[in-house]
Amino acid sequence: MACLKWLRIRLSYLADLGGQERRILALAFIVFPLVVTSLKLAGFKRTQYWLSRLLESEKEILQEEMAGQAKNTARLVKIAARYQPYRASCLAKSIVLWWLLGLQEIKSEVCIGVSRDKGKFEAHAWVECQGLVLNDSKDVRQRFPALERRMAGERV
């Protein structure tokens, strides 16, 4: 079923992607199943710790071109998540995005927030780079006040 979904992506769209974009998209496809499995077996903190060990360094300042690169990476992760054979959670999407940004030496945070609407408890995860929300709407902090933020590479 996943192969059929993948075939629906227009070949012309893939041809328009640059080499770096194709590499990021391919990595997102590869990392999603690993992250989903690790979240189920080891949990959030260990998953993020293991991935952070793979990152060599981080840049302290998110320059303007890096902001564009970070937004583009978020777009590619969204595409990869859409064509997975299973539904990727917001946490899995955020961890994949955080890790791919780290590979590009872009410092980011996975933010986890909660909301209680009409007595219903909801949790949500998203990624921020220096206060810029990458994979959600700008008002996500108001809808889901942040519980925890982890820096890329932070020891847990």
Side-chain angles (χ1 to χ4, degrees):
M1 185 58 97
C3 291
L4 293 175
K5 286 183 180 180
W6 172 250
L7 291 175
R8 282 189 238 167
I9 295 178
R10 294 186 339 233
L11 292 176
S12 62
Y13 173 77
L14 291 174
D16 290 342
L17 293 177
Q20 175 74 1
E21 289 177 318
R22 280 192 219 126
R23 183 176 154 263
I24 291 169
L25 185 59
L27 276 172
F29 270 101
I30 292 166
V31 172
F32 260 114
L34 299 174
V35 167
V36 169
T37 302
S38 181
L39 284 171
K40 288 179 182 178
L41 298 176
F44 168 68
K45 289 182 179 182
R46 284 192 177 170
T47 298
Q48 194 172 25
Y49 173 74
W50 291 332
L51 289 173
S52 71
R53 302 279 292 166
L54 298 174
L55 302 175
E56 292 179 23
S57 64
E58 303 167 359
K59 289 198 177 186
E60 290 297 323
I61 299 173
L62 181 65
Q63 299 159 354
E64 197 166 313
E65 66 266 7
M66 286 188 161
Q69 189 175 342
K71 289 177 186 177
N72 191 43
T73 301
R75 182 180 62 82
L76 294 170
V77 168
K78 184 177 179 179
I79 291 168
R82 187 181 314 140
Y83 293 99
Q84 292 297 310
Y86 43 80
R87 187 168 182 254
S89 68
C90 59
L91 183 58
K93 292 175 193 176
S94 294
I95 290 175
V96 169
L97 176 56
W98 165 83
W99 187 71
L100 289 171
L101 290 171
L103 284 178
Q104 299 171 73
E105 298 182 346
I106 299 173
K107 189 174 184 178
S108 64
E109 298 174 310
V110 174
C111 302
I112 300 172
V114 295
S115 172
R116 186 171 243 155
D117 187 28
K118 300 176 187 172
K120 184 180 177 185
F121 177 80
E122 292 182 310
H124 186 58
W126 66 94
V127 175
E128 293 185 15
C129 284
Q130 293 188 352
L132 176 68
V133 177
L134 295 176
N135 59 342
D136 209 308
S137 61
K138 293 179 183 179
D139 71 338
V140 69
R141 289 183 216 103
Q142 286 75 40
R143 292 182 292 121
F144 295 93
L147 277 180
E148 181 173 344
R149 291 174 186 245
R150 291 242 181 252
M151 301 293 285
E154 181 179 329
R155 304 271 178 193
V156 287

